[in-house]
Structure formats: structure tokens, C-alpha cells
Amino acid sequence: MRQFQWQERFNIGVDIVDQAHRRLFAIVDKIMELYVERHESKFACVEGIKYFKAYALKHFAEEEAYMRRIGYPGYLAHKRHHDRMRRETLPALERELYATDFSTKAVQHFIGVCIGWLTGHILIEDRAITGKAAGEAAPVRMDDELSLIRAVIIEPLQEILGQEVRFLGRFSTKDVIQDAQYYEMTCRTRPGRKVRFVLVIGEEPMLRAAGMMFGMEFHDMNEAARFAIRELAQNLIQRASACFEHDSSAYEMEEGRFLEAWEYNQEFSEHAPQYSLLFSVKQDCFALCIDQMADGEDTA
């Protein structure tokens, strides 16, 4: 039976925070076991999700109180991440669950988003509270390529995966990524401007990345793993978008989507992005395309 494994690298060294994180992982794991794998009653799933939400909101309040108490300088930026989760993400997941009568796919969506969000948030934002991670991204000039690559991709991804990430150079459509998946997201950074990101990654690397995040082995890309990887991509893209503005609250995330291969090839044959970058994690390669454009330009 699959279990989401708590990993020691998730500890930030603050007991009240670490205990809450362990509990949140345990709740999600129990929901997965009871409803997705053992197909027990919907009531158990409903109660488990209610408990997760209540415990998460309690944890956010306690963590915010701790940050205020120690005078953490990144408090406001950190609180914005909590606010988006409690005011936007969790309510949207709840609406989907009730609209589908707690379908297996909706429950897996809930699990994947929560695990993906928790993993990225703990390893980047929470570890920054005690100086163990970089915290909020500093503004980066678009013409400072090496700084952009380090801040946007390498540092946060190494935190999340616990593996060395290497920059290999330019990526082009001639570079082959087996069974490539294309995930696109746009962010409005200020009136009239957008930044678009496309993550290009093969199915096998996605499975291995999910395994690194969850501390378990995946043999197929189920819905929970797929949504967790999407949440990880959103976490990285959200961090990246903050690099382009001095006020990190100035950006607005827009809905992401997976592109078909023909959409990606057509789009980037007609308009090459400003940055097409190739990376590796161990034996796996992935690419990230970043493009700054005027609001109203077609992203499809």
C-alpha cells in the first residue's frame, strides 16, 4: 500500500511547525488509504477532508503567530501564500468535491494539490523562517540570465527535490524529451504585461519527481501524482513571477493548462520565447521556456 512518507528534510527545526506538518501529511495519507485505495464510505472521506481543512487553518494561524513573535522579515509575503491557500485553493477544491459527489478523481485532485503545495511550501517558504532556504525571491533583471536561472529554477527546485539540478544550456525543439508533457501558465505582473512559462518534462521524470516529493515509488502517473506535479510547477512559476517585480504582490496567477504537442510546436515555431533553457536532474532532462509579453497576446 502506498504511503506518503515524512522525510527528515521537511523538518525546519521548530517543534510546533514540524508537528503540524507531520499531522497534515498523515491526514492526507489516511484519506488516500481509506477512500482511494480501500474505497470505504464517502462519509470517512468527507470527515477526513473537513479535518484537514480545519487543521490546516489552525496551523496557518499558529505559524503566523510564531513568525510575528520572532519578527520574521518575510512575514507578509509568507502570509500571502497562506491566504491564497485558505481563501482560494481550498474553497475551490471543496466546491469540486461536492459538485462531483466526492468522485475518486476529485479526491485525487484534492490529495495531489495539497501534497504538492505542502511540499513546495515547507521546503521553500517554511524553511526560510529559520534561514534554511532562500525564502521570497528577490527581483531579478530579465537581462541577467545566470541570476535568473539560479533564482527561478535551480535553487527552489533543489530545495524541493533534494537533488542537484544542472543547467545544460539552450533548449530547442530539436532536443528530444521522451514522452514530453507541456504545462503552460501565465502570470499578469503589472497592467499591460504578462510572463508566460512552459514546463517541458517527460512522463518518467514526472514519476521520479513525484517519488522524490512523496518519498515513495510511482509506476504510473495517477491523478494524485499528476496534480501534485502540476502544483509543484505552479509553485516554481509563482516564485519565478515574483522575480520580475519589486512588489511580489503585483502579480496575478492565471489558470494553467497542459498543452498538446502540436500546440506547443505550432506556438513556438511562430514565436520563439525569450528563454528556452535545458536542465538535468540525475539522468533526467527537462526544459523551461519563459516569455515576457504584452497583455492580450494569444497564449494558445
Side-chain angles (χ1 to χ4, degrees):
M1 184 176 295
R2 291 174 173 171
Q3 290 184 320
F4 300 131
Q5 298 293 328
W6 177 261
Q7 302 173 53
E8 285 303 311
R9 67 195 182 99
F10 293 164
N11 288 319
I12 72 167
V14 179
D15 285 344
I16 190 172
V17 174
D18 291 336
Q19 289 172 12
H21 290 161
R22 288 192 199 96
R23 186 62 181 161
L24 288 169
F25 268 81
I27 296 168
V28 174
D29 185 48
K30 197 66 175 177
I31 295 169
M32 182 77 168
E33 177 191 350
L34 291 177
Y35 196 67
V36 177
E37 295 191 359
R38 288 167 51 180
H39 306 289
E40 295 197 5
S41 71
K42 184 179 79 174
F43 175 78
C45 181
V46 172
E47 292 304 303
I49 288 170
K50 284 182 180 178
Y51 183 40
F52 177 90
K53 180 182 176 183
Y55 195 87
L57 297 184
K58 174 177 178 288
H59 164 59
F60 290 165
E62 290 176 344
E63 189 173 270
E64 288 164 12
Y66 173 77
M67 288 189 287
R68 290 193 301 271
R69 189 164 65 250
I70 66 172
Y72 175 53
Y75 167 75
L76 289 178
H78 194 124
K79 185 176 183 297
R80 281 197 291 269
H81 289 279
H82 288 174
D83 288 344
R84 289 191 185 99
M85 187 64 170
R86 60 185 152 210
R87 296 175 185 171
E88 299 173 19
T89 305
L90 286 174
L93 291 171
E94 278 190 306
R95 288 193 295 271
E96 181 187 16
L97 287 164
Y98 282 100
T100 63
D101 195 29
F102 286 76
S103 68
T104 299
K105 182 176 180 179
V107 174
Q108 288 182 322
H109 186 189
F110 177 89
I111 290 168
V113 169
C114 290
I115 287 293
W117 188 89
L118 278 170
T119 301
H121 187 76
I122 290 169
L123 291 172
I124 295 177
E125 309 301 334
D126 287 342
R127 291 179 81 231
I129 297 172
T130 55
K132 295 181 179 179
E136 186 179 13
V140 176
R141 289 169 46 188
M142 287 293 285
D143 59 356
D144 186 356
E145 182 172 304
L146 292 179
S147 178
L148 180 74
I149 290 168
R150 284 195 300 270
V152 171
I153 304 159
I154 293 178
E155 291 175 2
L157 199 56
Q158 286 181 162
E159 293 281 359
I160 291 172
L161 298 179
Q163 299 283 344
E164 181 184 8
V165 178
R166 296 177 58 218
F167 173 50
L168 301 180
R170 299 291 179 183
F171 171 72
S172 75
T173 53
K174 295 179 181 179
D175 293 306
V176 176
I177 295 182
Q178 193 71 28
D179 299 321
Q181 310 287 311
Y182 307 91
Y183 185 70
E184 178 190 66
M185 177 167 283
T186 56
C187 308
R188 182 174 289 108
T189 60
R190 59 182 180 273
R193 301 302 302 174
K194 286 185 178 181
V195 180
R196 174 178 54 186
F197 304 85
V198 178
L199 175 68
V200 185
I201 185 170
E203 186 168 317
E204 283 300 316
M206 286 177 72
L207 289 171
R208 278 190 277 273
M212 292 176 196
M213 291 167 62
F214 297 159
M216 55 190 275
E217 188 174 352
F218 284 91
H219 299 286
D220 57 82
M221 186 53 70
N222 65 22
E223 290 298 322
R226 186 177 177 87
F227 283 120
I229 291 295
R230 190 173 78 171
E231 189 67 20
L232 170 60
Q234 290 178 352
N235 184 295
L236 290 172
I237 290 168
Q238 181 173 332
R239 180 181 176 86
S241 64
C243 290
F244 306 131
E245 298 292 330
H246 288 279
D247 177 6
S248 63
S249 65
Y251 64 86
E252 177 184 351
M253 302 290 290
E254 297 188 346
E255 183 63 29
R257 69 189 184 104
F258 282 95
L259 301 174
E260 297 292 336
W262 67 266
E263 291 181 284
Y264 170 83
N265 290 327
Q266 177 179 311
E267 181 174 345
F268 287 95
S269 65
E270 295 174 354
H271 173 74
Q274 287 170 286
Y275 296 96
S276 295
L277 310 171
L278 186 64
F279 300 86
S280 68
V281 181
K282 288 193 170 180
Q283 74 271 34
D284 299 321
C285 291
F286 68 93
L288 185 65
C289 302
I290 307 173
D291 202 19
Q292 209 169 33
M293 57 190 175
D295 201 353
E297 284 186 41
D298 187 9
T299 62

